[in-house]
Amino acid sequence: MTQAPAAAKATRRQHDREIVMLAVPAFGALVAEPLFVMADSAIVGHLGTAQLAGLGVASALLTTAVSVFVFLAYATTAAVARRVGAGDLQAAIRQGMDGIWLALLIGATVIAVVLPAAPALVDLFGASDTAAPYATTYLRISSIGIPAMLIVLAATGVLRGLQNTKTPLYVAVSGFIANGVLNVGLVYGADLGIAGSAWGTVIAQWGMAAVYLVVVVRGARRHGASLRPDAAGIRASAQAGAPLLVRTLSLRAILLIATAVAARLGDADIAAHQIILSLWSLLAFALDAIAIAGQAIIGRYLGADDPTGARAACRRMVQWGIAVGVVLGLLVILSRPLFLPLFTSDPTVKDTALPALIMVALSQPICGVVYVLDGVLMGAGDGPYLAGAMLLTLAVFAPAALLVPTFGGGLTAVWGAMTLMMTVRMLTLLLRARSGRWVVTGATR
């Protein structure tokens, strides 16, 4: 009678150690990424309003272009982790190289599109006549770094699949420091203005990519994995990533719809929405760190033909997601008197944001379940289901959000629609998790 509870407790402790070991460094790396844009903004902001506005437009375009291809990290993590679980490190690194070659191909294609189309893209985003030249300059130079950013995504996926989230943290922190130093030196020391900021970021991004490539190449040589591009492997990586691309585009559409609806409600509403959205994104980093641990751990268990271990890890990570969600929600409620004044002194904006902010806080346990199960199913290579579930979620969210200006409720109703969206996601993911259909063992799915 005492052995079973003791064994269960030992298993939970093992899962807890693995989750913490992978999630904490992953969280640090995730937080370091948006700091690039913040550092650039702080440095360029002293050049003038037009330059800062141009940076804002160009950064939005670049962030969108790169985030669409985040599947390079997700799909690679799952595929590599499966082969690690199967004990075939050579095949794991070979799989990772296929993802890196795919990143290079996509990056070259994006450069070919962005360089000539930069002025049109800047105009499409509504840049003013004074900001547009700066935005175009920054976008054209920064596009040279897009392949590096995509290589970083794919290589990060390789290391996560190898159960290593510490190296991405070290590289992200080093890249952030290098970016800041280069920006200051080129913007002010070399007097290159906004072009110096762009070049500094590009150099930092290629430096990060080079570090990752050195790490992966050393691993490939150590385990006898080929570094040459393999058409079949690259094609398989693209096919695995396609459903996750659909998922990401659907999520982007949801965020754009929410912002567009908030903009129609008035200046105070869109200002409050941007404040809340920034907080929502920050909270997502903490929950996404657990999801990243889930991708790596679940892929490894399934690759090792251990469905029981995979299910147990899934249950424990869901418990973690709920617990972290509750803590984050409480922190948001307790810190709201301090948080809102950091962003605005306008009492109208504060009054508009407050009820929506409370709704965000109450929804965090739901978000915890969603992020964790998203990571579990990604680790299982269940991309087609995730794509279908997100399309269904978009179909439910869009009419609910678009009807807000008609039926009223203001920004609180918009975030009510966002909570509905997360609830639908949670239900679809819970149904899949409980069905067990995601539990497909073996080195490949």
Side-chain angles (χ1 to χ4, degrees):
M1 293 294 291
T2 59
Q3 288 182 349
K9 189 174 182 179
T11 300
R12 286 196 300 271
R13 286 180 176 174
Q14 178 189 346
H15 289 149
D16 290 345
R17 283 194 297 269
E18 286 187 322
I19 292 167
V20 170
M21 183 179 67
L22 292 171
V24 171
F27 174 71
L30 288 169
V31 171
E33 291 172 10
L35 292 179
F36 268 77
V37 177
M38 290 180 63
D40 288 0
S41 299
I43 294 167
V44 171
H46 292 286
L47 294 174
T49 301
Q51 288 91 333
L52 184 59
L55 173 66
V57 171
S59 294
L61 285 164
L62 288 165
T63 301
T64 300
V66 174
S67 63
V68 163
F69 300 111
V70 72
F71 70 83
L72 289 166
Y74 294 159
T76 304
T77 297
V80 171
R82 275 184 175 268
R83 285 164 173 78
V84 169
D88 192 347
L89 288 177
Q90 183 185 74
I93 296 175
R94 174 66 260 177
Q95 180 74 41
M97 285 304 306
D98 292 335
I100 291 172
W101 281 112
L102 177 62
L104 272 172
L105 290 173
I106 294 174
T109 303
V110 174
I111 286 180
V113 172
V114 171
L115 276 176
L121 290 171
V122 167
D123 184 62
L124 183 65
F125 262 58
S128 67
D129 291 340
T130 53
Y134 296 111
T136 302
T137 296
Y138 192 93
L139 183 59
R140 278 181 165 159
I141 295 172
S142 294
S143 67
I144 300 171
I146 288 176
M149 287 187 275
L150 298 185
I151 289 171
V152 167
L153 282 177
T156 299
V158 176
L159 294 179
R160 289 173 181 170
L162 294 170
Q163 319 295 296
N164 177 1
T165 56
K166 289 184 179 179
T167 299
L169 171 61
Y170 301 149
V171 175
V173 171
S174 300
F176 168 70
I177 295 171
N179 177 65
V181 173
L182 287 166
N183 267 256
V184 171
L186 294 174
V187 171
Y188 297 109
D191 199 25
L192 294 179
I194 195 169
S197 177
W199 280 117
T201 302
V202 166
I203 294 169
Q205 287 163 345
W206 275 108
M208 292 169 65
V211 172
Y212 274 118
L213 289 174
V214 168
V215 172
V216 174
V217 167
R218 282 179 177 174
R221 288 176 176 169
R222 188 181 308 120
H223 297 286
S226 174
L227 298 173
R228 295 180 180 179
D230 176 65
I234 294 172
R235 187 164 52 249
S237 294
Q239 289 171 348
L244 297 180
L245 176 61
V246 173
R247 168 199 166 277
T248 301
L249 290 173
S250 300
L251 182 56
R252 283 279 158 187
I254 287 169
L255 297 176
L256 286 173
I257 290 171
T259 301
V261 172
R264 289 182 61 187
L265 298 176
D267 289 348
D269 292 88
I270 186 60
H273 176 73
Q274 287 304 113
I275 293 171
I276 295 171
L277 189 60
S278 66
L279 174 64
W280 195 70
S281 300
L282 178 62
L283 297 173
F285 285 135
L287 297 171
D288 203 25
I290 305 174
I292 288 169
Q295 294 171 30
I297 293 169
I298 294 298
R300 192 190 73 232
Y301 273 116
L302 294 177
D305 290 319
D306 186 358
T308 301
R311 289 190 181 94
C314 174
R315 285 193 298 271
R316 191 57 178 164
M317 280 183 283
V318 169
Q319 292 169 358
W320 267 80
I322 295 172
V324 173
V326 169
V327 171
L328 292 176
L330 290 173
L331 286 175
V332 170
I333 291 174
L334 293 174
S335 66
R336 69 187 188 280
L338 301 173
F339 174 74
L340 289 174
L342 290 176
F343 291 86
T344 181
S345 57
D346 188 331
T348 304
V349 175
K350 291 180 183 178
D351 291 342
T352 303
L354 185 58
L357 194 62
I358 293 174
M359 184 164 290
V360 169
L362 294 175
S363 69
Q364 286 309 297
I366 296 173
C367 295
V369 176
V370 168
Y371 276 87
V372 166
L373 290 181
D374 218 30
V376 167
L377 297 185
M378 283 182 191
D382 206 11
Y385 181 84
L386 289 172
M390 189 59 81
L391 286 171
L392 173 63
T393 302
L394 174 59
V396 173
F397 169 80
L402 292 172
L403 287 172
V404 168
T406 302
F407 290 98
L411 187 65
T412 304
V414 173
W415 279 94
M418 289 288 284
T419 301
L420 171 65
M421 178 269 294
M422 294 303 290
T423 302
V424 172
R425 287 184 70 187
M426 181 182 70
L427 292 174
T428 57
L429 295 173
L430 281 172
L431 285 172
R432 187 63 167 182
R434 290 178 177 176
S435 73
R437 294 179 182 175
W438 58 277
V439 183
V440 180
T441 59
T444 58
R445 183 177 172 88

